[in-house]
Amino acid sequence: MKKERISNNVIRRLPMYLRKLDDLIYHGVDRISSGELGKQMGLTPSQIRQDFSCFGEFGQQGYGYRVTDLRDQVAGILGMHKGFTVAIVGVGNLGHALIGNFGFEEQGFRLVAAFDSDPEIYGNNIAGIPVYDSATLSDWLKRNPTDIVVLTVPRRIAKSMAETVVDCGVRGIWNFTNIELELGRQDVRVENIHFSDSLQTLGYFLSEQENMEKSK
Amino acid sequence: MKKERISNNVIRRLPMYLRKLDDLIYHGVDRISSGELGKQMGLTPSQIRQDFSCFGEFGQQGYGYRVTDLRDQVAGILGMHKGFTVAIVGVGNLGHALIGNFGFEEQGFRLVAAFDSDPEIYGNNIAGIPVYDSATLSDWLKRNPTDIVVLTVPRRIAKSMAETVVDCGVRGIWNFTNIELELGRQDVRVENIHFSDSLQTLGYFLSEQENMEKSK
DNA sequence: TAGATTGTTAATCGATTAACAATC
DNA sequence: TAGATTGTTAATCGATTAACAATC
């Protein structure tokens, strides 16, 4: 029974499932039960069955799940077959790293162009991706409708860049700038990679651990 | 009333609070109520008071919270004053970006060294951080006890590198390799940055949006 | 003092887990 | 068929929200 409203927790688990399923395929596993999958992922079988049942009936009673089928279902839910187009704005080390190593294509995204304001940087190709002058970004987006912009620019220009690109029809921003982009637009989705949040969380746990040991 | 067991959700919100509080300080705000903070962050006042009350009593009745005090409390909870030492393993574009742009020091971490196996790369300094040969990592860690390793190596060597460093006493791994590091050690904390999970989540929402529009 | 706002207890809501009939 | 395992309904658990006495 498909649900209309999917909780955030479920959505965040989908990429985890995908990674695990790819791993199982890699290891030649063609069938798995919710019990076994749960054991391997540290989830309860119930949760796994509940999660998938939000989107449809992907298993077979008495048998389990066909790994490749399930993988394709999950990939489909995540829109990986849609070929969303991507442009990277800001080609510093991080932008560079994403162009070279992330593998947009393997994940079903189409990385089309990159932009930077440094004349030393634009005009070149990086791993086959042309890098254009940021000054031409707005025009370019109007001529080349783009689904997603990866925001890897310095913090101080992040907000205005974000506003520019959404005005040019971009529907999703993958935000690496570590600021909270409040664009006030319901139709634009921002997904943040907050590096510092992650490291601080790690700091919390190490700190906790130290406090525990001291109080023993 | 301090709680012993803090939920993960609360912990993940702490860095958000910190960012917001830094922002308020930057804008010269010296006092804020849970109501106003909630409005600005999109949380309920109740939740904010509940969150902070896990760690102590940081506010004043009838007044609210002193922004700088609260900021310092949160930073303290996150262990930012502890000066955890950090080494980066893998100096590709991403490792390079983290050394140059992340700002470990401003966040209270002490970035001490970086390692890479490429002779073109090790032997140099990057932004004042020495880059050593990965072959010497194990020895170096034994001589220089290190709290955290940033793992920015290629996927295929991620697991063995992780095992090496925890054997040398590293207590936390900031993992950028997009694999699930199952180290089976309760005393070592792994914090993941799964780029692809994040982008796939964005893909899900854009895909949903399209489906919604089509079915209208 | 009166007004504001906290910290905390109680109520609600949502997510996870357990149970089980359906069925491969 | 018997055994296994799903999808789903019900029960539990935990997190969020609401309410309010305490107090600055």
mmCIF file with all atom_site columns, all heavy atoms in Angstrom, chain B residues 150-167:
data_model
loop_
_atom_site.group_PDB
_atom_site.id
_atom_site.type_symbol
_atom_site.label_atom_id
_atom_site.label_alt_id
_atom_site.label_comp_id
_atom_site.label_asym_id
_atom_site.label_entity_id
_atom_site.label_seq_id
_atom_site.pdbx_PDB_ins_code
_atom_site.Cartn_x
_atom_site.Cartn_y
_atom_site.Cartn_z
_atom_site.occupancy
_atom_site.B_iso_or_equiv
_atom_site.pdbx_formal_charge
_atom_site.auth_seq_id
_atom_site.auth_comp_id
_atom_site.auth_asym_id
_atom_site.auth_atom_id
_atom_site.pdbx_PDB_model_num
ATOM 1   N N   . VAL B 1 150 ? 41.083 12.170 9.160  1.00 0.00 ? 150 VAL B N   1
ATOM 2   C CA  . VAL B 1 150 ? 40.184 12.472 8.048  1.00 0.00 ? 150 VAL B CA  1
ATOM 3   C C   . VAL B 1 150 ? 40.549 11.528 6.924  1.00 0.00 ? 150 VAL B C   1
ATOM 4   O O   . VAL B 1 150 ? 41.684 11.529 6.455  1.00 0.00 ? 150 VAL B O   1
ATOM 5   C CB  . VAL B 1 150 ? 40.355 13.932 7.575  1.00 0.00 ? 150 VAL B CB  1
ATOM 6   C CG1 . VAL B 1 150 ? 39.357 14.248 6.473  1.00 0.00 ? 150 VAL B CG1 1
ATOM 7   C CG2 . VAL B 1 150 ? 40.219 14.896 8.741  1.00 0.00 ? 150 VAL B CG2 1
ATOM 8   N N   . LEU B 1 151 ? 39.576 10.714 6.514  1.00 0.00 ? 151 LEU B N   1
ATOM 9   C CA  . LEU B 1 151 ? 39.866 9.686  5.520  1.00 0.00 ? 151 LEU B CA  1
ATOM 10  C C   . LEU B 1 151 ? 39.395 10.142 4.141  1.00 0.00 ? 151 LEU B C   1
ATOM 11  O O   . LEU B 1 151 ? 38.200 10.119 3.839  1.00 0.00 ? 151 LEU B O   1
ATOM 12  C CB  . LEU B 1 151 ? 39.176 8.379  5.930  1.00 0.00 ? 151 LEU B CB  1
ATOM 13  C CG  . LEU B 1 151 ? 39.794 7.077  5.462  1.00 0.00 ? 151 LEU B CG  1
ATOM 14  C CD1 . LEU B 1 151 ? 41.215 6.920  5.986  1.00 0.00 ? 151 LEU B CD1 1
ATOM 15  C CD2 . LEU B 1 151 ? 38.944 5.890  5.911  1.00 0.00 ? 151 LEU B CD2 1
ATOM 16  N N   . THR B 1 152 ? 40.349 10.583 3.326  1.00 0.00 ? 152 THR B N   1
ATOM 17  C CA  . THR B 1 152 ? 40.033 11.059 1.974  1.00 0.00 ? 152 THR B CA  1
ATOM 18  C C   . THR B 1 152 ? 40.894 10.307 0.963  1.00 0.00 ? 152 THR B C   1
ATOM 19  O O   . THR B 1 152 ? 41.511 10.908 0.100  1.00 0.00 ? 152 THR B O   1
ATOM 20  C CB  . THR B 1 152 ? 40.283 12.584 1.855  1.00 0.00 ? 152 THR B CB  1
ATOM 21  O OG1 . THR B 1 152 ? 41.537 12.897 2.486  1.00 0.00 ? 152 THR B OG1 1
ATOM 22  C CG2 . THR B 1 152 ? 39.209 13.376 2.529  1.00 0.00 ? 152 THR B CG2 1
ATOM 23  N N   . VAL B 1 153 ? 40.901 9.006  1.126  1.00 0.00 ? 153 VAL B N   1
ATOM 24  C CA  . VAL B 1 153 ? 41.682 8.135  0.246  1.00 0.00 ? 153 VAL B CA  1
ATOM 25  C C   . VAL B 1 153 ? 40.744 7.454  -0.749 1.00 0.00 ? 153 VAL B C   1
ATOM 26  O O   . VAL B 1 153 ? 39.527 7.472  -0.565 1.00 0.00 ? 153 VAL B O   1
ATOM 27  C CB  . VAL B 1 153 ? 42.424 7.048  1.063  1.00 0.00 ? 153 VAL B CB  1
ATOM 28  C CG1 . VAL B 1 153 ? 43.422 7.687  2.012  1.00 0.00 ? 153 VAL B CG1 1
ATOM 29  C CG2 . VAL B 1 153 ? 41.446 6.158  1.817  1.00 0.00 ? 153 VAL B CG2 1
ATOM 30  N N   . PRO B 1 154 ? 41.292 6.856  -1.814 1.00 0.00 ? 154 PRO B N   1
ATOM 31  C CA  . PRO B 1 154 ? 40.442 6.087  -2.725 1.00 0.00 ? 154 PRO B CA  1
ATOM 32  C C   . PRO B 1 154 ? 39.747 4.940  -1.987 1.00 0.00 ? 154 PRO B C   1
ATOM 33  O O   . PRO B 1 154 ? 40.292 4.387  -1.024 1.00 0.00 ? 154 PRO B O   1
ATOM 34  C CB  . PRO B 1 154 ? 41.434 5.540  -3.761 1.00 0.00 ? 154 PRO B CB  1
ATOM 35  C CG  . PRO B 1 154 ? 42.599 6.468  -3.704 1.00 0.00 ? 154 PRO B CG  1
ATOM 36  C CD  . PRO B 1 154 ? 42.688 6.906  -2.284 1.00 0.00 ? 154 PRO B CD  1
ATOM 37  N N   . ARG B 1 155 ? 38.560 4.631  -2.483 1.00 0.00 ? 155 ARG B N   1
ATOM 38  C CA  . ARG B 1 155 ? 37.699 3.652  -1.826 1.00 0.00 ? 155 ARG B CA  1
ATOM 39  C C   . ARG B 1 155 ? 38.387 2.309  -1.525 1.00 0.00 ? 155 ARG B C   1
ATOM 40  O O   . ARG B 1 155 ? 38.218 1.744  -0.462 1.00 0.00 ? 155 ARG B O   1
ATOM 41  C CB  . ARG B 1 155 ? 36.497 3.414  -2.749 1.00 0.00 ? 155 ARG B CB  1
ATOM 42  C CG  . ARG B 1 155 ? 35.245 3.031  -2.035 1.00 0.00 ? 155 ARG B CG  1
ATOM 43  C CD  . ARG B 1 155 ? 34.046 3.271  -2.941 1.00 0.00 ? 155 ARG B CD  1
ATOM 44  N NE  . ARG B 1 155 ? 33.947 4.689  -3.325 1.00 0.00 ? 155 ARG B NE  1
ATOM 45  C CZ  . ARG B 1 155 ? 32.966 5.187  -4.065 1.00 0.00 ? 155 ARG B CZ  1
ATOM 46  N NH1 . ARG B 1 155 ? 32.015 4.391  -4.503 1.00 0.00 ? 155 ARG B NH1 1
ATOM 47  N NH2 . ARG B 1 155 ? 32.944 6.467  -4.371 1.00 0.00 ? 155 ARG B NH2 1
ATOM 48  N N   . ARG B 1 156 ? 39.169 1.845  -2.480 1.00 0.00 ? 156 ARG B N   1
ATOM 49  C CA  . ARG B 1 156 ? 39.688 0.488  -2.347 1.00 0.00 ? 156 ARG B CA  1
ATOM 50  C C   . ARG B 1 156 ? 40.663 0.320  -1.182 1.00 0.00 ? 156 ARG B C   1
ATOM 51  O O   . ARG B 1 156 ? 40.858 -0.775 -0.676 1.00 0.00 ? 156 ARG B O   1
ATOM 52  C CB  . ARG B 1 156 ? 40.299 0.022  -3.676 1.00 0.00 ? 156 ARG B CB  1
ATOM 53  C CG  . ARG B 1 156 ? 41.649 0.590  -3.996 1.00 0.00 ? 156 ARG B CG  1
ATOM 54  C CD  . ARG B 1 156 ? 42.054 0.453  -5.450 1.00 0.00 ? 156 ARG B CD  1
ATOM 55  N NE  . ARG B 1 156 ? 42.640 1.703  -5.930 1.00 0.00 ? 156 ARG B NE  1
ATOM 56  C CZ  . ARG B 1 156 ? 43.822 2.183  -5.517 1.00 0.00 ? 156 ARG B CZ  1
ATOM 57  N NH1 . ARG B 1 156 ? 44.548 1.517  -4.641 1.00 0.00 ? 156 ARG B NH1 1
ATOM 58  N NH2 . ARG B 1 156 ? 44.262 3.345  -5.955 1.00 0.00 ? 156 ARG B NH2 1
ATOM 59  N N   . ILE B 1 157 ? 41.288 1.420  -0.749 1.00 0.00 ? 157 ILE B N   1
ATOM 60  C CA  . ILE B 1 157 ? 42.200 1.274  0.383  1.00 0.00 ? 157 ILE B CA  1
ATOM 61  C C   . ILE B 1 157 ? 41.609 1.829  1.682  1.00 0.00 ? 157 ILE B C   1
ATOM 62  O O   . ILE B 1 157 ? 42.260 1.846  2.721  1.00 0.00 ? 157 ILE B O   1
ATOM 63  C CB  . ILE B 1 157 ? 43.565 1.946  0.106  1.00 0.00 ? 157 ILE B CB  1
ATOM 64  C CG1 . ILE B 1 157 ? 43.396 3.442  -0.168 1.00 0.00 ? 157 ILE B CG1 1
ATOM 65  C CG2 . ILE B 1 157 ? 44.282 1.279  -1.052 1.00 0.00 ? 157 ILE B CG2 1
ATOM 66  C CD1 . ILE B 1 157 ? 44.727 4.191  -0.151 1.00 0.00 ? 157 ILE B CD1 1
ATOM 67  N N   . ALA B 1 158 ? 40.348 2.236  1.613  1.00 0.00 ? 158 ALA B N   1
ATOM 68  C CA  . ALA B 1 158 ? 39.729 2.898  2.768  1.00 0.00 ? 158 ALA B CA  1
ATOM 69  C C   . ALA B 1 158 ? 39.714 2.001  4.008  1.00 0.00 ? 158 ALA B C   1
ATOM 70  O O   . ALA B 1 158 ? 40.135 2.406  5.094  1.00 0.00 ? 158 ALA B O   1
ATOM 71  C CB  . ALA B 1 158 ? 38.313 3.331  2.417  1.00 0.00 ? 158 ALA B CB  1
ATOM 72  N N   . LYS B 1 159 ? 39.248 0.778  3.825  1.00 0.00 ? 159 LYS B N   1
ATOM 73  C CA  . LYS B 1 159 ? 39.077 -0.110 4.971  1.00 0.00 ? 159 LYS B CA  1
ATOM 74  C C   . LYS B 1 159 ? 40.414 -0.385 5.657  1.00 0.00 ? 159 LYS B C   1
ATOM 75  O O   . LYS B 1 159 ? 40.537 -0.259 6.881  1.00 0.00 ? 159 LYS B O   1
ATOM 76  C CB  . LYS B 1 159 ? 38.425 -1.423 4.512  1.00 0.00 ? 159 LYS B CB  1
ATOM 77  C CG  . LYS B 1 159 ? 38.150 -2.424 5.622  1.00 0.00 ? 159 LYS B CG  1
ATOM 78  C CD  . LYS B 1 159 ? 36.693 -2.846 5.679  1.00 0.00 ? 159 LYS B CD  1
ATOM 79  C CE  . LYS B 1 159 ? 36.328 -3.512 7.003  1.00 0.00 ? 159 LYS B CE  1
ATOM 80  N NZ  . LYS B 1 159 ? 36.671 -4.946 7.021  1.00 0.00 ? 159 LYS B NZ  1
ATOM 81  N N   . SER B 1 160 ? 41.417 -0.727 4.867  1.00 0.00 ? 160 SER B N   1
ATOM 82  C CA  . SER B 1 160 ? 42.689 -1.082 5.484  1.00 0.00 ? 160 SER B CA  1
ATOM 83  C C   . SER B 1 160 ? 43.336 0.133  6.144  1.00 0.00 ? 160 SER B C   1
ATOM 84  O O   . SER B 1 160 ? 43.947 0.024  7.213  1.00 0.00 ? 160 SER B O   1
ATOM 85  C CB  . SER B 1 160 ? 43.627 -1.724 4.457  1.00 0.00 ? 160 SER B CB  1
ATOM 86  O OG  . SER B 1 160 ? 44.209 -0.750 3.628  1.00 0.00 ? 160 SER B OG  1
ATOM 87  N N   . MET B 1 161 ? 43.203 1.294  5.515  1.00 0.00 ? 161 MET B N   1
ATOM 88  C CA  . MET B 1 161 ? 43.714 2.524  6.126  1.00 0.00 ? 161 MET B CA  1
ATOM 89  C C   . MET B 1 161 ? 43.025 2.786  7.470  1.00 0.00 ? 161 MET B C   1
ATOM 90  O O   . MET B 1 161 ? 43.669 3.140  8.464  1.00 0.00 ? 161 MET B O   1
ATOM 91  C CB  . MET B 1 161 ? 43.458 3.725  5.201  1.00 0.00 ? 161 MET B CB  1
ATOM 92  C CG  . MET B 1 161 ? 44.545 3.937  4.182  1.00 0.00 ? 161 MET B CG  1
ATOM 93  S SD  . MET B 1 161 ? 46.113 4.391  4.963  1.00 0.00 ? 161 MET B SD  1
ATOM 94  C CE  . MET B 1 161 ? 47.160 4.532  3.521  1.00 0.00 ? 161 MET B CE  1
ATOM 95  N N   . ALA B 1 162 ? 41.720 2.611  7.473  1.00 0.00 ? 162 ALA B N   1
ATOM 96  C CA  . ALA B 1 162 ? 40.957 2.838  8.707  1.00 0.00 ? 162 ALA B CA  1
ATOM 97  C C   . ALA B 1 162 ? 41.442 1.893  9.803  1.00 0.00 ? 162 ALA B C   1
ATOM 98  O O   . ALA B 1 162 ? 41.652 2.303  10.948 1.00 0.00 ? 162 ALA B O   1
ATOM 99  C CB  . ALA B 1 162 ? 39.473 2.638  8.437  1.00 0.00 ? 162 ALA B CB  1
ATOM 100 N N   . GLU B 1 163 ? 41.624 0.644  9.420  1.00 0.00 ? 163 GLU B N   1
ATOM 101 C CA  . GLU B 1 163 ? 42.076 -0.336 10.419 1.00 0.00 ? 163 GLU B CA  1
ATOM 102 C C   . GLU B 1 163 ? 43.456 0.023  10.954 1.00 0.00 ? 163 GLU B C   1
ATOM 103 O O   . GLU B 1 163 ? 43.723 -0.056 12.151 1.00 0.00 ? 163 GLU B O   1
ATOM 104 C CB  . GLU B 1 163 ? 42.072 -1.741 9.803  1.00 0.00 ? 163 GLU B CB  1
ATOM 105 C CG  . GLU B 1 163 ? 40.657 -2.314 9.734  1.00 0.00 ? 163 GLU B CG  1
ATOM 106 C CD  . GLU B 1 163 ? 40.531 -3.497 8.795  1.00 0.00 ? 163 GLU B CD  1
ATOM 107 O OE1 . GLU B 1 163 ? 41.506 -3.816 8.075  1.00 0.00 ? 163 GLU B OE1 1
ATOM 108 O OE2 . GLU B 1 163 ? 39.436 -4.107 8.768  1.00 0.00 ? 163 GLU B OE2 1
ATOM 109 N N   . THR B 1 164 ? 44.318 0.445  10.038 1.00 0.00 ? 164 THR B N   1
ATOM 110 C CA  . THR B 1 164 ? 45.657 0.861  10.446 1.00 0.00 ? 164 THR B CA  1
ATOM 111 C C   . THR B 1 164 ? 45.605 1.983  11.490 1.00 0.00 ? 164 THR B C   1
ATOM 112 O O   . THR B 1 164 ? 46.236 1.902  12.544 1.00 0.00 ? 164 THR B O   1
ATOM 113 C CB  . THR B 1 164 ? 46.460 1.367  9.217  1.00 0.00 ? 164 THR B CB  1
ATOM 114 O OG1 . THR B 1 164 ? 46.554 0.310  8.271  1.00 0.00 ? 164 THR B OG1 1
ATOM 115 C CG2 . THR B 1 164 ? 47.849 1.828  9.628  1.00 0.00 ? 164 THR B CG2 1
ATOM 116 N N   . VAL B 1 165 ? 44.854 3.014  11.184 1.00 0.00 ? 165 VAL B N   1
ATOM 117 C CA  . VAL B 1 165 ? 44.882 4.174  12.079 1.00 0.00 ? 165 VAL B CA  1
ATOM 118 C C   . VAL B 1 165 ? 44.232 3.890  13.434 1.00 0.00 ? 165 VAL B C   1
ATOM 119 O O   . VAL B 1 165 ? 44.713 4.362  14.463 1.00 0.00 ? 165 VAL B O   1
ATOM 120 C CB  . VAL B 1 165 ? 44.289 5.447  11.431 1.00 0.00 ? 165 VAL B CB  1
ATOM 121 C CG1 . VAL B 1 165 ? 45.042 5.812  10.158 1.00 0.00 ? 165 VAL B CG1 1
ATOM 122 C CG2 . VAL B 1 165 ? 42.804 5.340  11.176 1.00 0.00 ? 165 VAL B CG2 1
ATOM 123 N N   . VAL B 1 166 ? 43.170 3.095  13.450 1.00 0.00 ? 166 VAL B N   1
ATOM 124 C CA  . VAL B 1 166 ? 42.582 2.810  14.767 1.00 0.00 ? 166 VAL B CA  1
ATOM 125 C C   . VAL B 1 166 ? 43.513 1.915  15.579 1.00 0.00 ? 166 VAL B C   1
ATOM 126 O O   . VAL B 1 166 ? 43.567 2.023  16.807 1.00 0.00 ? 166 VAL B O   1
ATOM 127 C CB  . VAL B 1 166 ? 41.152 2.200  14.696 1.00 0.00 ? 166 VAL B CB  1
ATOM 128 C CG1 . VAL B 1 166 ? 40.199 3.118  13.947 1.00 0.00 ? 166 VAL B CG1 1
ATOM 129 C CG2 . VAL B 1 166 ? 41.159 0.823  14.081 1.00 0.00 ? 166 VAL B CG2 1
ATOM 130 N N   . ASP B 1 167 ? 44.269 1.072  14.889 1.00 0.00 ? 167 ASP B N   1
ATOM 131 C CA  . ASP B 1 167 ? 45.272 0.283  15.612 1.00 0.00 ? 167 ASP B CA  1
ATOM 132 C C   . ASP B 1 167 ? 46.350 1.176  16.219 1.00 0.00 ? 167 ASP B C   1
ATOM 133 O O   . ASP B 1 167 ? 47.024 0.785  17.175 1.00 0.00 ? 167 ASP B O   1
ATOM 134 C CB  . ASP B 1 167 ? 45.929 -0.746 14.675 1.00 0.00 ? 167 ASP B CB  1
ATOM 135 C CG  . ASP B 1 167 ? 45.008 -1.922 14.398 1.00 0.00 ? 167 ASP B CG  1
ATOM 136 O OD1 . ASP B 1 167 ? 44.015 -2.068 15.142 1.00 0.00 ? 167 ASP B OD1 1
ATOM 137 O OD2 . ASP B 1 167 ? 45.264 -2.677 13.450 1.00 0.00 ? 167 ASP B OD2 1
#
